[in-house]
Amino acid sequence: MTSAPQSLRWGHQALEVEIDVGEDGIARLTRLGLPGGIPPERRTWPPLPLVEVTATGHGRAWSGGRLIDTHLGGRLRHRAHRSSRDGDWQVLTVELHDPDTGLVAEVTFRSPDGVPALRSEVVLRNDGETTLHLESVSSLVVGCLADGPEAVEGADLLWAENDWVAECRWQRRPMRVTSPVLNDRVVYDNGKGEFTLSGRGVWSSCGRLPMGGLTDRRSGRTWLWQIEHNGGGWHWECGERDQLAYVALFGPVDTQHGWRHPLKPGDEFRIVPVALAFGADGGPDEAFAALTRYRRAIRRPHPDHQRLPVIFNDYMNCLMGDPTTEKLLPLIDAAAEAGAEYFVIDAGWYDGDDGGWWDSVGAWEPAASRFPGERGIHEVLDRIRERGMVPGLWLEPEVIGVRSPMARSLPDEAFFRRDGVRVTEAGRHHLDLRHPAARAHLDRVVDRLVGEWGVGYLKLDHNIDPGSGTSAHPGETPGAGLLGHNRAHLDWLDGVLDRYPHLVVENCSSGGMRWDYALLSRLQLQSTSDQQNLQLYAPIAASAPTAVTPEQGAVWAYPLPEDSSDEVAFTMASALLGRIHLSGLLPELRPEARALVHEAVAAYKAIRADLSQAVPAWPLGLPAWDDPWLALALHSPATTYLTVWRRPGAEATAALPLPHLRGTAARVDVLYPAASRAAAAWDPDAAGLTLTLPTAPSAVLLRLAHATPEMP
């Protein structure tokens, strides 16, 4: 089959996408970047189609670990395309068709005006007469990230390891480590290797973030991608194909997750969405800035994103899951005096067994032994309101303990099952939110806590991984059941926020085990870690804006009574360019330590209006776990905020490049702590800040005001 070649150019002033349709009718994404660029006659055509698909009986042309070079993908022909607008978004839809099987793929690209980022979704439809048993479907394939051997030679891969209490640890490796040069005197075909990452289970970011990137170490050109899926069923691969760097992004696939889906005649199937952000020459910082703006564009609107209220939570370095009326009342008063605006009662409020709540959760009723008296827990909730704060509660909605009465009252079909057996993990069962009984149970709980009790904040945690998923329906693979539950979970959250639009919901999962923008496009905050060591929390806090917008990143500020003044300032400073999750035994702090807490909250309130518009940068590079100096900047057109941490073992002085301020006569102010002995000197010509912090550990929040003609 041949057709007339054509070239489709689409985008806006910040991003242009070019798709070429060859004589064979195959549509290929041939360029993605700033408007303009290399003309077609000077460009190497990438060989990969817009969509790659494997199905049973329809495999790959080049066998190996890669999920590209698929027969179905290579047979999909361009049939139509259309462009449109959706508010502030540009939209391009390309329809592809395989004449042999009747498979139709509808690829939809979306990009917000002025943001160099692309969102991709794919819908498959079976217009044929035979069921296709899908095994992998790409959400996005880009075969033109780096053009030619020299470009591949200069490319570095980026990814983030993400462990419990060691979240968001970015790594960088030359692409040639996993895509070595294969051709010299003997010419080989393309290799079988690539760099690949996959998620697993129900935790989307357990082990690694559902993100990655590729950067040119010479030009600074950078691409960053994220897979917007709230479960571990995701996969991406980046490698070399015909002397070009490619990336292919997937949701769940058969080889990694045991996922298969029967696409019957007339049926449709939607793949998980993904996004790709682009930075022209500013390195990873520029691409992360674009990704930050994109994340703001896809979020569900909520007043919390502009207000950024200060939250006190009674867990970390505080009550640690042992709340009672007696313990909470003085904490409430201390939190109000410090300036908190929400007060969240964390785990344990439902536990009448004194520490035995783990395998009995599920009914979510307050424990009378913890909240004695006629009013019970309402005495505490009312005190929170009396002190001018909004009450919040911790909830782990998707689990039911094996000793909970709900484990017996809900039907087996409401739980994850495999081979007809209810899944049990660490003394708990996992709800399948596709079942109406499971969803009705959770709706009743939320309607009671929020609708009747007036709770305005829910911290939604999740602390078990039930494995591959659920095969609740005949012929269903566990990976397909897990995807179904993940989508039902999102639908349930949408329903909760539709009913209670001012409710603030925090996304927590053993700290940061479920960092993804399927959830964060809906929920207002992200727990960044359960890390209790203030020095180890610093690299997590500094890296958090790579994975979440600053105004959504909840960072614990939890001073201990035995902490020195420098340590109190260190832990408080970690939260000042994110969201303050204040904690700790505030009534037991020394007066000077309490004063540092109050000062930090006041400093935060003075700058928080700027944070929801600022974009992040890392003057010392993406933070490493053991770096002695760490730095995070948030900058807007008029102001740059900079948090810098010095850890033990570091020299007293550090040089911090701020290239976006080159030639600017910036004024440097110390915002926190006011008594800091930090010495800072700004060199506008070199675009560098020299900072001395005399002690370690210590940290400081600085403001660099960009000079204007009206300023002296």
Side-chain angles (χ1 to χ4, degrees):
M1 177 180 176
T2 61
S3 61
Q6 57 179 309
S7 182
L8 316 176
R9 289 197 177 195
W10 167 86
H12 47 75
Q13 72 274 22
L15 182 75
E16 185 173 75
V17 172
E18 189 166 345
I19 297 171
D20 286 302
V21 181
E23 292 183 356
D24 56 6
I26 298 176
R28 301 172 174 90
L29 199 159
T30 53
R31 194 174 66 81
L32 186 149
L34 296 177
I38 303 172
E41 63 272 12
R42 293 171 49 202
R43 186 179 58 230
T44 304
W45 259 29
L48 302 179
L50 283 186
V51 180
E52 296 278 19
V53 184
T54 62
T56 307
H58 304 272
R60 292 161 293 173
W62 182 244
S63 191
R66 300 175 173 183
L67 293 177
I68 58 170
D69 293 309
T70 62
H71 281 297
L72 278 171
R75 293 204 306 261
L76 289 167
R77 300 296 188 263
H78 173 267
R79 190 156 74 174
H81 65 272
R82 60 188 181 276
S83 61
S84 61
R85 287 191 63 88
D86 180 11
D88 294 332
W89 292 73
Q90 300 279 352
V91 183
L92 174 67
T93 301
V94 182
E95 186 178 306
L96 311 170
H97 176 249
D98 171 25
D100 291 359
T101 62
L103 179 66
V104 175
E106 190 174 87
V107 184
T108 300
F109 295 141
R110 296 167 56 87
S111 184
D113 287 337
V115 180
L118 180 74
R119 192 173 202 250
S120 177
E121 290 187 272
V122 176
V123 176
L124 296 185
R125 185 176 72 250
N126 188 349
D127 283 353
E129 299 178 353
T130 304
T131 297
L132 287 169
H133 295 273
L134 302 175
E135 296 178 350
S136 68
V137 186
S138 65
S139 297
L140 177 66
V141 178
V142 181
C144 56
L145 294 187
D147 187 347
E150 291 185 2
V152 175
E153 196 72 36
D156 287 342
L157 286 155
L158 302 170
W159 76 97
E161 303 290 337
N162 200 69
D163 198 358
W164 181 57
V165 304
E167 289 86 351
C168 220
R169 303 183 333 274
W170 281 89
Q171 313 293 313
R172 184 166 178 158
R173 175 190 295 176
M175 187 176 173
R176 278 297 182 213
V177 173
T178 49
S179 295
V181 176
L182 301 178
N183 297 346
D184 190 12
R185 294 179 63 186
V186 178
V187 177
Y188 295 97
D189 207 333
N190 288 286
K192 299 181 184 296
E194 77 292 319
F195 186 86
T196 183
L197 288 183
S198 299
R200 58 183 182 268
V202 301
W203 284 325
S204 60
S205 57
C206 183
R208 56 210 56 87
L209 294 179
M211 297 179 62
L214 190 73
T215 184
D216 187 313
R217 71 181 75 98
R218 295 167 297 185
S219 71
R221 179 171 295 188
T222 303
W223 290 267
L224 292 170
W225 50 83
Q226 65 179 26
I227 299 174
E228 296 169 6
H229 183 38
N230 58 318
W234 59 263
H235 176 82
W236 65 257
E237 60 184 60
C238 184
E240 185 179 13
R241 179 69 167 85
D242 285 359
Q243 300 186 334
L244 296 165
Y246 79 90
V247 65
L249 311 180
F250 300 83
V253 298
D254 179 39
T255 53
Q256 304 294 329
H257 312 104
W259 174 87
R260 294 186 296 280
H261 180 84
L263 190 66
K264 298 176 181 178
D267 281 359
E268 286 189 350
F269 180 74
R270 182 178 298 275
I271 316 306
V272 302
V274 301
L276 181 70
F278 171 72
D281 55 15
D285 284 5
E286 183 182 351
F288 277 117
L291 193 56
T292 299
R293 294 186 177 103
Y294 163 82
R295 288 165 172 167
R296 287 170 175 151
I298 65 170
R299 288 186 313 210
R300 178 189 183 107
H302 196 283
D304 182 80
H305 297 320
Q306 282 71 47
R307 292 179 52 237
L308 278 61
V310 174
I311 298 150
F312 185 96
N313 180 296
D314 71 19
Y315 190 81
M316 196 64 71
N317 285 354
C318 193
L319 300 186
M320 300 295 292
D322 188 26
T324 65
T325 300
E326 182 182 10
K327 294 177 180 179
L328 285 167
L329 293 181
L331 274 178
I332 292 167
D333 292 339
E337 291 166 6
E341 293 152 304
Y342 281 71
F343 189 102
V344 180
I345 305 170
D346 208 281
W349 58 271
Y350 37 79
D351 171 33
D353 296 338
D354 192 22
W357 57 266
W358 178 265
D359 60 357
S360 63
V361 296
W364 306 113
E365 296 285 354
S369 59
R370 293 185 174 276
F371 307 102
E374 184 178 343
R375 295 166 60 204
I377 196 173
H378 294 283
E379 178 184 356
V380 176
L381 299 178
D382 287 346
R383 174 67 73 86
I384 293 169
R385 281 185 280 263
E386 289 167 5
R387 293 308 309 263
M389 297 179 290
V390 177
L393 288 173
W394 180 95
L395 200 64
E396 195 170 358
E398 294 161 83
V399 300
I400 300 289
V402 295
R403 293 195 299 118
S404 171
M406 303 308 302
R408 298 180 294 277
S409 63
L410 289 171
D412 269 351
E413 294 79 11
F415 296 93
F416 274 31
R417 293 176 297 151
R418 290 196 289 272
D419 299 320
V421 179
R422 189 187 295 189
V423 174
T424 304
E425 175 73 7
R428 292 166 162 199
H429 305 305
H430 196 291
L431 289 173
D432 185 342
L433 289 182
R434 296 175 296 177
H435 195 277
R439 181 159 176 166
H441 161 62
L442 293 189
D443 281 340
R444 285 193 294 270
V445 170
V446 171
D447 289 346
R448 172 164 47 85
L449 302 184
V450 179
E452 297 176 20
W453 294 9
V455 167
Y457 186 109
L458 290 178
K459 175 178 178 176
L460 301 186
D461 208 341
H462 193 73
N463 291 301
I464 66 164
D465 181 0
S468 58
T470 176
S471 51
H473 305 305
E476 181 178 63
T477 66
L482 178 58
L483 178 62
H485 162 77
N486 292 146
R487 288 175 163 170
H489 180 215
L490 295 177
D491 187 64
W492 174 71
L493 290 170
D494 285 336
V496 168
L497 288 166
D498 285 344
R499 295 200 305 280
Y500 305 106
H502 293 285
L503 176 69
V504 176
V505 184
E506 176 189 342
N507 182 37
C508 179
S509 192
S510 283
M513 296 296 95
R514 206 146 67 167
W515 266 10
D516 63 75
Y517 262 86
L519 288 166
L520 288 170
S521 65
R522 294 160 168 84
L523 305 185
Q524 289 69 60
L525 290 101
Q526 170 65 49
S527 168
T528 55
S529 187
D530 284 345
Q531 176 58 250
Q532 290 178 258
N533 183 306
L534 59 93
Q535 293 189 39
L536 293 179
Y537 208 141
I540 301 170
S543 300
T546 62
V548 62
T549 65
E551 64 273 18
Q552 289 179 279
V555 177
W556 290 103
Y558 46 28
L560 293 167
E562 62 268 25
D563 284 348
S564 68
S565 293
D566 280 341
E567 288 172 326
V568 173
F570 190 99
T571 190
M572 296 304 300
S574 291
L576 296 183
L577 292 185
R579 291 296 296 277
I580 293 184
H581 258 40
L582 188 61
S583 194
L585 298 169
L586 300 187
E588 299 179 20
L589 296 182
R590 294 170 288 107
E592 57 269 29
R594 279 201 305 274
L596 280 168
V597 171
H598 293 193
E599 180 192 342
V601 173
Y604 180 78
K605 290 181 177 180
I607 69 169
R608 61 182 171 184
D610 293 339
L611 304 187
S612 60
Q613 306 300 321
V615 293
W618 292 269
L620 299 176
L622 292 174
W625 189 245
D626 296 320
D627 280 351
W629 282 89
L630 301 162
L632 167 64
L634 293 185
H635 60 82
S636 61
T639 308
T640 293
Y641 297 103
L642 180 64
T643 300
V644 185
W645 297 260
R646 180 191 170 196
R647 296 197 281 184
E651 297 292 332
T653 299
L656 295 96
L658 295 169
H660 69 287
L661 295 181
R662 186 176 302 278
T664 301
R667 185 182 66 228
V668 183
D669 298 312
V670 176
L671 298 186
Y672 180 81
S676 171
R677 291 180 290 147
W682 170 246
D683 184 340
D685 296 327
L689 180 74
T690 302
L691 179 66
T692 299
L693 295 179
T695 59
S698 60
V700 65
L701 173 65
L702 304 175
R703 178 178 57 204
L704 286 80
H706 309 172
T708 64
E710 291 75 26
M711 291 179 63

